[in-house]
Amino acid sequence: MTRNEDTSRYESRSLGVGEQDSHDVEQDASTPDQADSRQRDSKRIRISVLVGSAILQLPIWGFAMSYGVFQEYYYNNWTLEGDRAITGIIGTTSNGVMYLSMPFLFALFARRWARKRQAAALCGVVLACASFILSSFSTNVWHLVVTQGVLAALGCALIFSPTTLSLGEWSKSSNRAVAYGVVLSCKNIVGSTCPFLFRGLIDRYGFRDALRIWTAVTGGTSILAIFLIPTHPSSISLSTPRRRTIPWQFLKHKAIYVYSVAIIFQSAGYGIPQTYLNTYARDVTLLSQTSATLMLTIFNLPGIIASSFFGYLSDNKRFPLSAIVVTSIPPISSALSAFLLWGLTSPGSLALLIMFSLTFGFFSGGYSATWGGVLNQLEREAAERNEAIDSGMVYGLLNGVRGVGYVTGGIGGLLLLKAGDMGTNGRTRVSDGRLGTVVEMQGEEAAAIAVAAAPDSWSSVSL
């Protein structure tokens, strides 16, 4: 008997992703013992789903969050054909492709292909592994862009989308933001440890063998985790065409557009340090290679705490805050850290760069965890209007909006990098160098998020 068949006795009548669990126990249970047994089974499966989702953060995000290590290696050890500066767009392109594809994948697997989620995730594993293997044989820069920036990203998105839908369905609406926060904390653990993993592999085996080893890691961890995440029976049981229809009424209201604008600016700025922080640490602050890699780890490390913190803040019942207030905290703080800390670094100023990595990494790294609160708000507003809403589809749409930001941020960063002037002796000056323009763009984007997310920008939300 498969895991999905084992859980088929659970039913749900709610269309919202996180609301199904309130109906996990059949209302016609004949005895309290049967109800207790079903509750224990449901809790066991929810734990399994949470563990599987946590494990999947390694193969899905390990390469994308650590690409700065590869970019620094490519730039300083260039042996391929083509312009090495193009490697700067691979990391942001990878994130952009993943996020841009999510709305379509979430819509596809939310209802109509819900039964095929695990099979689709396994296909994503095959695509990601094949892409990393092919990239290890690259001879031209466009080979890297296609394999690492596009194909591997599509494979990882195919793993992420169906499994994240199941995570949301197995999480109760009362603690969905916390569940997302825990998983995002694991994502930041991956981002904190993988830079050293990749640095060690590249230094010892070269980037080609490092990619082949990563292929094995991706395949092994993904397959294990996917089988820990069954599809919620409420999605499998949806059979009538009426229930398969995705409600789009939320697009008629301005809240979704306000959040979308803020997410675009945030993601456009967030991908820049992941790509250029390593190079910046070496060329501007004159740090060693090990210290430069440490900056990327320090940048991702605070997100471990931040994701759980902002997830808790979104679900907090003791001191409830509106979603717009919670989502405004990260961008305002990020803007200040980009202007006051990163922009003031000078050669050898390790302490200032560490402060930037910690503060910006904390607030920007926890931004996605606030989306659980956004979904809760949109669900409440839909209930007040007597409208249906599919929270899983909305979550996929928010991820797609983030992809737009990643792509535009990557292209903008590359253009500014080329437009800047080189300092003396090939070194880049913070004040007027090519990386200095990227820093300025980073701060302006973070400030724009704060403006877009300001409570005064729309009057329908209050504490």
Side-chain angles (χ1 to χ4, degrees):
M1 179 179 292
T2 65
R3 185 181 294 269
N4 287 335
E5 293 171 344
D6 179 58
T7 60
S8 63
R9 61 181 179 274
Y10 298 103
E11 297 178 351
S12 172
R13 294 180 297 178
S14 172
L15 185 60
V17 166
E19 299 172 356
Q20 288 93 334
D21 291 279
S22 61
H23 301 285
D24 276 348
V25 181
E26 294 182 350
Q27 295 183 0
D28 59 348
S30 57
T31 66
D33 290 341
Q34 290 178 343
D36 291 341
S37 176
R38 294 187 179 100
Q39 288 178 341
R40 287 193 298 269
D41 289 344
S42 179
K43 182 178 180 180
R44 174 180 56 83
I45 296 171
R46 284 198 294 269
I47 293 174
S48 173
V49 170
L50 188 61
V51 171
S53 299
I55 295 174
L56 278 179
Q57 303 312 297
L58 175 61
I60 293 174
W61 302 108
F63 179 83
M65 294 186 71
S66 308
Y67 176 73
V69 175
F70 280 91
Q71 201 275 335
E72 188 271 336
Y73 175 84
Y74 293 148
Y75 203 86
N76 293 291
N77 301 274
W78 188 245
T79 58
L80 280 65
E81 299 177 5
D83 185 2
R84 63 180 179 177
I86 297 178
T87 58
I89 70 171
I90 294 177
T92 50
T93 299
S94 175
N95 282 299
V97 169
M98 288 179 66
Y99 284 112
L100 283 173
S101 62
M102 286 178 189
F104 305 100
L105 294 175
F106 272 71
L108 194 62
F109 296 107
R111 293 289 178 264
R112 188 170 299 277
W113 284 10
R115 292 179 178 272
K116 301 179 180 180
R117 288 180 186 175
Q118 286 187 331
L122 291 173
C123 291
V125 175
V126 174
L127 178 59
C129 291
S131 301
F132 286 127
I133 283 290
L134 289 175
S135 69
S136 69
F137 295 98
S138 298
T139 58
N140 196 297
V141 65
W142 72 265
H143 297 164
L144 295 177
V145 174
V146 172
T147 54
Q148 297 179 1
V150 180
L151 295 180
L154 286 174
C156 291
L158 198 53
I159 300 172
F160 177 86
S161 299
T163 55
T164 302
L165 276 170
S166 296
L167 171 66
E169 290 170 351
W170 283 107
S171 301
K172 297 179 180 178
S173 58
S174 61
N175 63 5
R176 178 173 50 207
V178 173
Y180 285 152
V182 170
V183 172
L184 289 171
S185 292
C186 294
K187 173 184 174 182
N188 284 285
I189 292 175
V190 169
S192 301
T193 55
C194 279
F196 283 105
L197 171 64
F198 283 121
R199 172 56 61 191
L201 291 175
I202 291 174
D203 289 344
R204 183 165 184 175
Y205 302 107
F207 89 94
R208 298 184 188 277
D209 285 340
L211 287 170
R212 292 161 190 162
I213 294 173
W214 180 247
T215 301
V217 173
T218 299
T221 55
S222 297
I223 293 174
L224 169 65
I226 288 170
F227 285 107
L228 294 175
I229 308 175
T231 303
H232 196 281
S234 63
S235 295
I236 297 177
S237 64
L238 296 178
S239 57
T240 64
R242 182 180 66 85
R243 294 296 299 273
R244 288 179 180 274
T245 302
I246 297 175
W248 298 101
Q249 290 92 332
F250 68 92
L251 293 177
K252 299 178 182 179
H253 309 291
K254 62 182 178 181
I256 187 67
Y257 300 103
V258 173
Y259 286 120
S260 296
V261 171
I263 290 171
I264 287 175
F265 282 113
Q266 192 273 342
S267 55
Y270 182 61
I272 292 176
Q274 286 184 319
T275 300
Y276 295 107
L277 190 58
N278 252 31
T279 305
Y280 187 92
R282 291 195 62 187
D283 292 353
V284 177
T285 59
L286 309 179
L287 300 181
S288 66
Q289 183 170 284
T290 301
S291 297
T293 304
L294 180 63
M295 288 301 100
L296 195 58
T297 296
I298 294 176
F299 176 81
N300 290 315
L301 194 62
I304 300 172
I305 301 174
S307 295
S308 296
F309 171 75
F310 284 109
Y312 167 78
L313 203 61
S314 299
D315 276 342
N316 180 34
K317 301 299 185 296
R318 179 174 297 181
F319 304 104
L321 298 173
S322 66
I324 195 67
V325 172
V326 177
T327 55
S328 297
I329 296 174
I332 293 174
S333 303
S334 299
L336 292 174
S337 66
F339 278 125
L340 301 179
L341 298 178
W342 199 9
L344 296 179
T345 53
S346 58
S349 59
L350 176 61
L352 205 57
L353 196 58
I354 290 177
M355 289 179 61
F356 163 76
S357 299
L358 289 173
T359 54
F360 191 91
F362 179 86
F363 290 104
S364 289
Y367 185 73
S368 298
T370 65
W371 294 2
V374 173
L375 295 179
N376 291 338
Q377 176 197 321
L378 295 177
E379 286 178 348
R380 289 193 300 269
E381 293 179 353
E384 293 172 357
R385 304 184 187 103
N386 198 25
E387 296 175 350
I389 185 170
D390 189 325
S391 301
M393 181 58 217
V394 176
Y395 189 74
L397 184 63
L398 295 179
N399 279 289
V401 169
R402 191 175 197 186
V404 175
Y406 269 118
V407 172
T408 55
I411 296 174
L414 180 62
L415 294 176
L416 288 174
L417 193 70
K418 290 184 175 182
D421 296 324
M422 292 296 294
T424 57
N425 299 324
R427 289 291 181 184
T428 308
R429 295 193 299 256
V430 181
S431 59
D432 61 350
R434 56 194 180 95
L435 286 172
T437 61
V438 176
V439 174
E440 182 180 357
M441 173 189 176
Q442 170 67 36
E444 291 173 351
E445 286 173 343
I449 311 168
V451 174
D456 291 339
S457 64
W458 53 309
S459 59
S460 63
V461 176
S462 60
L463 284 175

